[in-house]
Amino acid sequence: MAQTEKKGGLLRKSSTSKKPLKEKVVLMYDEIFTTEDPSKCNPRFWEELFLMKVNLEYLEGKLEALDGEELMKIKDNINCLFQHCIQALGEEHPIRVVNALQTLCALIRGVHQKNKSTSGFDIINMLVGFDKAELCMKNLMESLDSLLCAEGSESLKSLCLKLLLCLVTVTDNISQNTILEYVMINSIFEAILQILSSPLSRREHGYDAVVLLALLVNYRKYESVNPYIVKLSIVDDEATLNGMGLVIAQALSEYNRQYKDKEEEHQSGFFSALTNMVGSMFIADADEKISVQTNEAILLALYEAVHLNRNFITVLAQSHPEMGLMTTPTSPIPVMPVTPLGTTPPSSDVISSAELPLDADVQTSNLLITFLKYSSIVMQDTKDEHRLHSGKLCLIILTCIAEDQYANAFLHDDNMNFRVNLHRMPMRHRKKAADKNLPCRPLVCAVLDLMVEFIITHMMKEFPMDLYVRCIQIVHKLLCYQKKCRVRLHYTWRELWSALINLLKFLMSNETVLLAKHNIFTLALMVVNLFNMFITYGDTFLPTPSSYDELYYEIIRMHQNFDNLYSMVLRLSTNAGQWKEPASKVTHALVNIRAIINHFNPKIESYAAVNHISQLSEDQVLEVVRSNYDTLTLKLQDGLDQYERYSEQHKEAAFFKELVRSISINVRKTLAFNTLSQELLLKEFSTIS
Amino acid sequence: TTAMGDSVVDPARGTGLEQAAGSTPQGNGGTTSLSVITEGVGELAVIDPEVAQKACEEVLEKVKLMHGVSSDSLSKVGAGSEAPRPAAALSNGELGQGCEIKCLDDPAAVASRIQEEGEESKANTVRSARKRQKDNSGKQSWLLRLFESKLFDISMAISYLYNSKEPGVQAYIGNRLFCFRNEDVDFYLPQLLNMYIHMDEDVGDAIKPYIVHRCRQSINFSLQCALLLGAYSSDMHISTQRHSRGTKLRKLILSDELKPAYRKRELPSLSPAPDMGLSPSKRTHQRSKSDATVTISLSSNLKRTASNPKVESEEEPVRLAPEREFIKSLIAIGKRLATLPTKEQKTQRLISELSLLNHKLPARAWLPTAGFDHHVVRVPHTQAVVLNSKDKAPYLIYVEVLECENFDTANVPARIPENRIRSTRSAENLPECGITAEQRAGSFSTVPNYDNDDEAWSVDDIVELQVELPEIHTNSCDNISQFSVDSITSQESREPVFIAAGDIRRRLSEQLAHTPTSFRRDPEDPSAVALKEPWQEKVRRIREGSPYGHLPSWRLLSVIVKCGDDLRQELLAFQVLKQLQSIWEQERVPLWIKPYKILVISADSGMIEPVVNAVSIHQIKKQSLLSLLDYFLQEHGNYNTESFLTAQRNFVQSCAGYCLVCYLLQVKDRHNGNILLDADGHIIHIDFGFILSSSPRNLGFETSAFKLTTEFVDVMGGLDGDMFNYYKMLMLQGLIAARKHMDKVVQIVEIMQQGSQLP
């Protein structure tokens, strides 16, 4: 496949670029691919080479055509080329630097494609030679570092980042890419940070920088001390962290926007279809077709930032204007106003250099909101693997957020109200909520909405057990915070309760199918314990006394479900099967719910009998509930308000390995040749020279 | 006649007192004299000989009164001397002198002797001193004596400065200004500067040295001057000479040439020693944060930021620039907000703008409305609210500051990252604040200094969660604390714990009942909730959530930023209110008013010090849907409770005070949105945009002198109630007192009329 791609590129190239020039460089390449030292007959060979326009396709193709042994034979020349490339990076003339960078890309890719089976050490040997590797790579990294940090050309910087991305993603499994050991020793972390901290370079290269960082952090994450992890976890410069947040927000909202566009496009198409065909079944099919390539790399970056760096949490709440509506501004941000005397006082930074663009229609948003919207889109369809990964990662990020004190503080902040337009899956039995009528609420409501939405929309045969568990955990963690901090959130808890009860119902009705694959009792236990949390600690976080009454009402109304669950777990816990223990746990957890049902049901029946009513209204039931609390005794259960903290290393390592692999492959694919050999780039420098 | 000049005093004083005590006005002579009597006793005759003469004629008639009154007056006026002495001197003609001596204490020991010598011509000379101001050395000396006497206060100085046409006198007063207490002169700063701008050369020359001197001393003074000069010059034609005088001074101040000399090289010596988290004076891009932990990552980072233009140069920064930028950004935010259509959008934008502003803090900036030196360290952006206004967007922000000894020498505090919330539970930080049921008992634990392993979410956090400190809640009245203890102890002793469902339900309703009544959130009126929250409660809450909250010098201030409104009138109203307040205090009339501080930034923007714990009556009615009386009952308890009665008394006293203010200043545009009610029951009028016969565009016919609705009367207990009578009496007393010191009030307004478009 790659071959055809290159062919295409080659054809296109040959038609556009000048022939004689190309010929010359190809000839020179051919010289390298001999065992002779090319500088023997032409002492200025290397100097001349980097003045030639690189023919990436040819070089890479040539390398690929050779097998391991043949390559070994010309190792000296390859090493020589590699070294000269590094040398050329230090040259003043940008053309040479550009050519050297491109040649390096081709070299690294070519050698790797050839040596898929061989070890990383062979590759180092092949490219640099063991003896010189340390020094060479050090020089390379230092050159890249200074290029990235210099006040030089933006396209040059971009090319540097591409080269680094190329280097990082040459292997599918990043941890096997031994050459990265040198990237670890000679850190370019600071260069990445610098790119993120300045608005101009952030806009140009932010995305690449963030992806690069996310990948580097995942290099041998669990086996060794990765300096990028260490460094990322201690960054506390707000400008940098904000920069990172902005890049991520931009990428995510771009996705959201694309999705929305597609959806709208689709809807108009659908309506025309509706005129021809009548059938509501269609919606589900139609919806599946709307899919935009998810961006796991950026999500991974968000995860690493949230997970590793506590300071990044503040960035989540940092406001930025809704970006979907804006076209990326190209004009440079106005230079800081100069103070009267022309000196810069210590806090001339009081001037908001990054003033929010003024646009009345633009709703301010923040990274968290953008992320929640993104999650709502990604999580609605978890059928294909990429989306499953994305959805899972979204939930993991939310788990981290739900565990953080500071994040919780602003999630629950009564003064920070937002309208969050979550995407809701169109379903037959409900109307699409009008966007305009959304209330402005604390952000935690949006998180809870998202969880409720997930719970009610994923009860399917291919049951995403893992995601459900995470979802319930997030709700639990939020409740723990509310209980601990006495936050009385005005949320329509009823929606959550009924979603949870429906989930239990689903688990029971699909018992046999699900039990074959999953331990449904852990999930059932978590759900029941959420109810226990409401029942025993409701006084600490429910908004009104009547919401406590409503809780009882809901339990009593749906008592059938709890009864069935109880008989199921009782049955399984008395059998000496593999589910004995987990099932018996659920039995114990149900004790209060059963007490409530057993306490109130007779009361309600007698009330109905006394008043000669066949069907009690909600108000009547609530009346019965209210007047009979005092005779009900509940058992206090242990550890309802405690949870196990998220830990990546022990439980998620496999997932992240797999995720990083798929991201690597993806990044490599998108790192196409045309991005490396931009005509633009050459034009820019030809004018300079 | 020897004693005349002096003894005149007493009858005049006597009438004043009588009236203040509530009796009917005296004869004609009495009332005229009322208008000129000032607080001093001895100098009275000197100031206004006409009064003296008139009063002279009445002396004999009033002799009877003298006895009782003067002893009264002494304790009251209490110019700082022993009571028995004048009382003894009362019977004879020496009374006046006794008073004189008493009043002139230290510098006046000489002065009084002089007076003794020249008694005869006294009344005469003084009169001429005022009227003619000729080069009569004798007369001049009387004036001089007055000026040198201790009783010569700033109010008189200003008045002479304004009225005198004599360059010598003006120059003298200009010098004399240096002798007054700074705070006293500060009060008249608007007048001084307005005179400087709009009056002739001589006055300007007289004032300038003082202004320059003060500017050198205080950065805050410099700022105020610069702002006021700008604002008061703005009405003039651009090319006028005087105008350029005002602007010249302004430029001089802003150019920072008035930098105090002593400060010159002090800072560099300080900076190498960062003491306890305070960074060396200046905030560089890479601040000196927890250097120890970060050195690895920053070592190479620092070298890069060296090229960053933001990094300040070696030289001394411009003193006023950070503050001016701070103010400028606040105003800019206000201007941008005004373009947004809905309250909700405004609020959101405000919050996000402020969060950006936060990045630039702490800075060498301060709030001029505060009464102490401090640095602004953080704006808790989520607490900010947009206030109700039709087309403009005034907003209220809270500002966290760190108090410092001396703003000029203190270093700017180091920035603490937003999420570094310290444990607010340590006793030293939070001495018994009000405990409410809805206490957000967030046990925000200290974020451990970066754990460098790859699992940043270290395991010990789990431990922390399991050993959730139950004693956090022990101080609250409910028994949930035991509850959570139970949940832990039960883990150890495997005995099941039973609880009654009824208890849970009961606790829930009890806790909600115990929370102080708060307003519901209303997107159309976001400020209602924020303003209703008791100030102490808010301070505690914000302190808890602030990374700077643990510092002992932490303070919370608030300020309203107004754009598009001319606050110069508000400032005038503030001065008048303040003057009235002190008059009433001096005359012991228990009227209550609350002048709020104003910072005029330009002719169309400024800041206002908000009245804490107060919401507008409009908001109260909208939120509570109760009549004002019922609201009082709800907030303060039943009719006979002490709390209600106190609130009612407060209401009456403040209502009477403001009714007088409205009457005197002809305050218009009185609607419920402009009248606040505070937590103690006081009413407070705000928005003095229409005073002294200007009124809202289409409502020129607003005739009522002040606003007193039946609802107000109801709170006072109806038209027949005792409190309403008390109200009427207060009004009368207050009016009389105000009349008595009229010139002090009129003077403020009069001077400001110069060159302005004030009505």
mmCIF file of all heavy atoms in Angstrom, chain A residues 67-93:
data_model
loop_
_atom_site.group_PDB
_atom_site.id
_atom_site.type_symbol
_atom_site.label_atom_id
_atom_site.label_comp_id
_atom_site.label_asym_id
_atom_site.label_seq_id
_atom_site.Cartn_x
_atom_site.Cartn_y
_atom_site.Cartn_z
ATOM 1 N N ASP A 67 18.135 -5.823 1.109
ATOM 2 C CA ASP A 67 17.830 -6.637 2.282
ATOM 3 C C ASP A 67 18.909 -6.393 3.334
ATOM 4 O O ASP A 67 19.865 -5.638 3.124
ATOM 5 C CB ASP A 67 17.688 -8.121 1.920
ATOM 6 C CG ASP A 67 19.003 -8.732 1.501
ATOM 7 O OD1 ASP A 67 20.053 -8.192 1.897
ATOM 8 O OD2 ASP A 67 18.980 -9.728 0.761
ATOM 9 N N GLY A 68 18.720 -7.023 4.455
ATOM 10 C CA GLY A 68 19.579 -6.737 5.601
ATOM 11 C C GLY A 68 21.057 -6.820 5.307
ATOM 12 O O GLY A 68 21.834 -5.930 5.669
ATOM 13 N N GLU A 69 21.443 -7.891 4.624
ATOM 14 C CA GLU A 69 22.877 -8.082 4.405
ATOM 15 C C GLU A 69 23.457 -7.048 3.464
ATOM 16 O O GLU A 69 24.539 -6.515 3.699
ATOM 17 C CB GLU A 69 23.121 -9.484 3.844
ATOM 18 C CG GLU A 69 23.399 -10.474 4.950
ATOM 19 C CD GLU A 69 23.617 -11.869 4.399
ATOM 20 O OE1 GLU A 69 24.243 -11.974 3.314
ATOM 21 O OE2 GLU A 69 23.139 -12.822 5.033
ATOM 22 N N GLU A 70 22.727 -6.796 2.413
ATOM 23 C CA GLU A 70 23.183 -5.775 1.457
ATOM 24 C C GLU A 70 23.355 -4.428 2.164
ATOM 25 O O GLU A 70 24.305 -3.692 1.913
ATOM 26 C CB GLU A 70 22.161 -5.632 0.326
ATOM 27 C CG GLU A 70 22.182 -6.785 -0.635
ATOM 28 C CD GLU A 70 21.002 -6.751 -1.599
ATOM 29 O OE1 GLU A 70 19.862 -6.497 -1.132
ATOM 30 O OE2 GLU A 70 21.212 -6.956 -2.792
ATOM 31 N N LEU A 71 22.419 -4.182 3.051
ATOM 32 C CA LEU A 71 22.465 -2.922 3.779
ATOM 33 C C LEU A 71 23.706 -2.872 4.659
ATOM 34 O O LEU A 71 24.367 -1.839 4.770
ATOM 35 C CB LEU A 71 21.195 -2.797 4.626
ATOM 36 C CG LEU A 71 20.695 -1.385 4.903
ATOM 37 C CD1 LEU A 71 20.497 -0.629 3.613
ATOM 38 C CD2 LEU A 71 19.400 -1.434 5.682
ATOM 39 N N MET A 72 24.009 -4.016 5.267
ATOM 40 C CA MET A 72 25.187 -4.077 6.128
ATOM 41 C C MET A 72 26.448 -3.683 5.358
ATOM 42 O O MET A 72 27.350 -3.060 5.915
ATOM 43 C CB MET A 72 25.350 -5.491 6.686
ATOM 44 C CG MET A 72 24.945 -5.712 8.157
ATOM 45 S SD MET A 72 24.833 -4.251 9.169
ATOM 46 C CE MET A 72 26.352 -4.433 10.070
ATOM 47 N N LYS A 73 26.453 -4.074 4.103
ATOM 48 C CA LYS A 73 27.649 -3.813 3.300
ATOM 49 C C LYS A 73 27.887 -2.318 3.122
ATOM 50 O O LYS A 73 29.024 -1.850 3.088
ATOM 51 C CB LYS A 73 27.501 -4.478 1.919
ATOM 52 C CG LYS A 73 27.802 -5.956 1.937
ATOM 53 C CD LYS A 73 27.694 -6.520 0.531
ATOM 54 C CE LYS A 73 27.428 -8.014 0.609
ATOM 55 N NZ LYS A 73 26.664 -8.485 -0.558
ATOM 56 N N ILE A 74 26.819 -1.599 2.947
ATOM 57 C CA ILE A 74 26.999 -0.153 2.717
ATOM 58 C C ILE A 74 26.827 0.634 4.013
ATOM 59 O O ILE A 74 26.618 1.844 4.029
ATOM 60 C CB ILE A 74 26.008 0.379 1.650
ATOM 61 C CG1 ILE A 74 24.570 0.062 2.076
ATOM 62 C CG2 ILE A 74 26.320 -0.203 0.291
ATOM 63 C CD1 ILE A 74 23.570 0.966 1.404
ATOM 64 N N LYS A 75 26.912 -0.083 5.105
ATOM 65 C CA LYS A 75 26.702 0.542 6.420
ATOM 66 C C LYS A 75 27.566 1.789 6.606
ATOM 67 O O LYS A 75 27.090 2.810 7.121
ATOM 68 C CB LYS A 75 27.020 -0.479 7.505
ATOM 69 C CG LYS A 75 26.871 0.076 8.892
ATOM 70 C CD LYS A 75 27.455 -0.828 9.950
ATOM 71 C CE LYS A 75 27.732 -0.046 11.203
ATOM 72 N NZ LYS A 75 29.090 0.058 11.608
ATOM 73 N N ASP A 76 28.808 1.692 6.188
ATOM 74 C CA ASP A 76 29.704 2.833 6.394
ATOM 75 C C ASP A 76 29.196 4.087 5.715
ATOM 76 O O ASP A 76 29.227 5.176 6.286
ATOM 77 C CB ASP A 76 31.110 2.508 5.871
ATOM 78 C CG ASP A 76 31.807 1.555 6.823
ATOM 79 O OD1 ASP A 76 31.325 1.450 7.979
ATOM 80 O OD2 ASP A 76 32.782 0.912 6.410
ATOM 81 N N ASN A 77 28.727 3.893 4.498
ATOM 82 C CA ASN A 77 28.201 5.066 3.783
ATOM 83 C C ASN A 77 26.931 5.605 4.416
ATOM 84 O O ASN A 77 26.723 6.814 4.459
ATOM 85 C CB ASN A 77 27.930 4.702 2.318
ATOM 86 C CG ASN A 77 29.201 4.824 1.495
ATOM 87 O OD1 ASN A 77 30.237 5.223 2.025
ATOM 88 N ND2 ASN A 77 29.113 4.453 0.223
ATOM 89 N N ILE A 78 26.086 4.666 4.876
ATOM 90 C CA ILE A 78 24.855 5.116 5.546
ATOM 91 C C ILE A 78 25.224 5.911 6.790
ATOM 92 O O ILE A 78 24.686 7.005 7.030
ATOM 93 C CB ILE A 78 23.973 3.907 5.939
ATOM 94 C CG1 ILE A 78 23.596 3.085 4.722
ATOM 95 C CG2 ILE A 78 22.745 4.360 6.734
ATOM 96 C CD1 ILE A 78 22.411 3.558 3.960
ATOM 97 N N ASN A 79 26.127 5.355 7.570
ATOM 98 C CA ASN A 79 26.576 6.069 8.769
ATOM 99 C C ASN A 79 27.093 7.453 8.417
ATOM 100 O O ASN A 79 26.806 8.442 9.102
ATOM 101 C CB ASN A 79 27.709 5.296 9.475
ATOM 102 C CG ASN A 79 27.189 4.055 10.175
ATOM 103 O OD1 ASN A 79 27.940 3.270 10.702
ATOM 104 N ND2 ASN A 79 25.878 3.844 10.143
ATOM 105 N N CYS A 80 27.863 7.450 7.327
ATOM 106 C CA CYS A 80 28.451 8.696 6.873
ATOM 107 C C CYS A 80 27.357 9.705 6.508
ATOM 108 O O CYS A 80 27.413 10.876 6.903
ATOM 109 C CB CYS A 80 29.312 8.415 5.653
ATOM 110 S SG CYS A 80 30.862 9.265 5.741
ATOM 111 N N LEU A 81 26.379 9.209 5.762
ATOM 112 C CA LEU A 81 25.266 10.081 5.371
ATOM 113 C C LEU A 81 24.567 10.624 6.613
ATOM 114 O O LEU A 81 24.278 11.819 6.723
ATOM 115 C CB LEU A 81 24.279 9.286 4.504
ATOM 116 C CG LEU A 81 22.994 10.022 4.080
ATOM 117 C CD1 LEU A 81 23.309 11.256 3.272
ATOM 118 C CD2 LEU A 81 22.077 9.095 3.292
ATOM 119 N N PHE A 82 24.332 9.739 7.540
ATOM 120 C CA PHE A 82 23.642 10.121 8.769
ATOM 121 C C PHE A 82 24.420 11.213 9.506
ATOM 122 O O PHE A 82 23.871 12.231 9.908
ATOM 123 C CB PHE A 82 23.483 8.885 9.665
ATOM 124 C CG PHE A 82 22.473 9.060 10.756
ATOM 125 C CD1 PHE A 82 21.123 8.855 10.513
ATOM 126 C CD2 PHE A 82 22.871 9.423 12.029
ATOM 127 C CE1 PHE A 82 20.195 9.024 11.526
ATOM 128 C CE2 PHE A 82 21.944 9.593 13.040
ATOM 129 C CZ PHE A 82 20.599 9.386 12.789
ATOM 130 N N GLN A 83 25.703 10.965 9.617
ATOM 131 C CA GLN A 83 26.527 11.951 10.324
ATOM 132 C C GLN A 83 26.561 13.298 9.611
ATOM 133 O O GLN A 83 26.513 14.350 10.249
ATOM 134 C CB GLN A 83 27.961 11.432 10.452
ATOM 135 C CG GLN A 83 28.126 10.434 11.571
ATOM 136 C CD GLN A 83 29.488 9.814 11.543
ATOM 137 O OE1 GLN A 83 30.463 10.474 11.216
ATOM 138 N NE2 GLN A 83 29.538 8.529 11.867
ATOM 139 N N HIS A 84 26.659 13.198 8.295
ATOM 140 C CA HIS A 84 26.697 14.455 7.571
ATOM 141 C C HIS A 84 25.375 15.207 7.645
ATOM 142 O O HIS A 84 25.353 16.430 7.632
ATOM 143 C CB HIS A 84 27.126 14.234 6.118
ATOM 144 C CG HIS A 84 28.612 14.119 5.995
ATOM 145 N ND1 HIS A 84 29.248 12.904 5.916
ATOM 146 C CD2 HIS A 84 29.576 15.052 5.984
ATOM 147 C CE1 HIS A 84 30.550 13.089 5.849
ATOM 148 N NE2 HIS A 84 30.782 14.409 5.889
ATOM 149 N N CYS A 85 24.316 14.436 7.695
ATOM 150 C CA CYS A 85 23.005 15.077 7.894
ATOM 151 C C CYS A 85 23.031 15.879 9.183
ATOM 152 O O CYS A 85 22.587 17.036 9.227
ATOM 153 C CB CYS A 85 21.899 14.032 8.004
ATOM 154 S SG CYS A 85 21.388 13.335 6.445
ATOM 155 N N ILE A 86 23.511 15.238 10.241
ATOM 156 C CA ILE A 86 23.523 15.913 11.540
ATOM 157 C C ILE A 86 24.405 17.149 11.489
ATOM 158 O O ILE A 86 24.054 18.207 12.018
ATOM 159 C CB ILE A 86 23.982 14.926 12.631
ATOM 160 C CG1 ILE A 86 22.911 13.857 12.811
ATOM 161 C CG2 ILE A 86 24.256 15.644 13.938
ATOM 162 C CD1 ILE A 86 23.350 12.660 13.598
ATOM 163 N N GLN A 87 25.532 16.965 10.796
ATOM 164 C CA GLN A 87 26.423 18.119 10.645
ATOM 165 C C GLN A 87 25.710 19.274 9.921
ATOM 166 O O GLN A 87 25.803 20.428 10.333
ATOM 167 C CB GLN A 87 27.631 17.723 9.811
ATOM 168 C CG GLN A 87 28.913 17.665 10.608
ATOM 169 C CD GLN A 87 30.032 17.078 9.774
ATOM 170 O OE1 GLN A 87 30.157 17.396 8.587
ATOM 171 N NE2 GLN A 87 30.813 16.204 10.371
ATOM 172 N N ALA A 88 24.983 18.879 8.874
ATOM 173 C CA ALA A 88 24.327 19.903 8.056
ATOM 174 C C ALA A 88 23.262 20.664 8.844
ATOM 175 O O ALA A 88 22.907 21.783 8.502
ATOM 176 C CB ALA A 88 23.701 19.271 6.821
ATOM 177 N N LEU A 89 22.750 20.012 9.901
ATOM 178 C CA LEU A 89 21.721 20.691 10.704
ATOM 179 C C LEU A 89 22.257 21.962 11.340
ATOM 180 O O LEU A 89 21.513 22.882 11.644
ATOM 181 C CB LEU A 89 21.203 19.758 11.806
ATOM 182 C CG LEU A 89 20.354 18.575 11.349
ATOM 183 C CD1 LEU A 89 19.880 17.776 12.552
ATOM 184 C CD2 LEU A 89 19.159 19.045 10.550
ATOM 185 N N GLY A 90 23.570 21.959 11.538
ATOM 186 C CA GLY A 90 24.157 23.140 12.157
ATOM 187 C C GLY A 90 24.511 24.231 11.170
ATOM 188 O O GLY A 90 24.959 25.306 11.562
ATOM 189 N N GLU A 91 24.289 23.952 9.897
ATOM 190 C CA GLU A 91 24.675 24.935 8.870
ATOM 191 C C GLU A 91 23.803 26.172 8.935
ATOM 192 O O GLU A 91 22.676 26.132 9.422
ATOM 193 C CB GLU A 91 24.504 24.293 7.477
ATOM 194 C CG GLU A 91 25.346 23.065 7.277
ATOM 195 C CD GLU A 91 26.571 23.362 6.463
ATOM 196 O OE1 GLU A 91 26.662 24.498 5.952
ATOM 197 O OE2 GLU A 91 27.428 22.474 6.327
ATOM 198 N N GLU A 92 24.339 27.230 8.415
ATOM 199 C CA GLU A 92 23.571 28.457 8.454
ATOM 200 C C GLU A 92 22.483 28.476 7.386
ATOM 201 O O GLU A 92 21.400 28.987 7.578
ATOM 202 C CB GLU A 92 24.501 29.654 8.245
ATOM 203 C CG GLU A 92 24.817 30.365 9.534
ATOM 204 C CD GLU A 92 25.824 31.452 9.309
ATOM 205 O OE1 GLU A 92 25.595 32.260 8.382
ATOM 206 O OE2 GLU A 92 26.831 31.490 10.028
ATOM 207 N N HIS A 93 22.845 27.916 6.237
ATOM 208 C CA HIS A 93 21.922 27.983 5.125
ATOM 209 C C HIS A 93 20.718 27.079 5.349
ATOM 210 O O HIS A 93 20.856 25.882 5.490
ATOM 211 C CB HIS A 93 22.638 27.562 3.841
ATOM 212 C CG HIS A 93 22.003 28.190 2.643
ATOM 213 N ND1 HIS A 93 20.693 27.966 2.325
ATOM 214 C CD2 HIS A 93 22.486 29.040 1.716
ATOM 215 C CE1 HIS A 93 20.394 28.643 1.237
ATOM 216 N NE2 HIS A 93 21.482 29.309 0.852
#
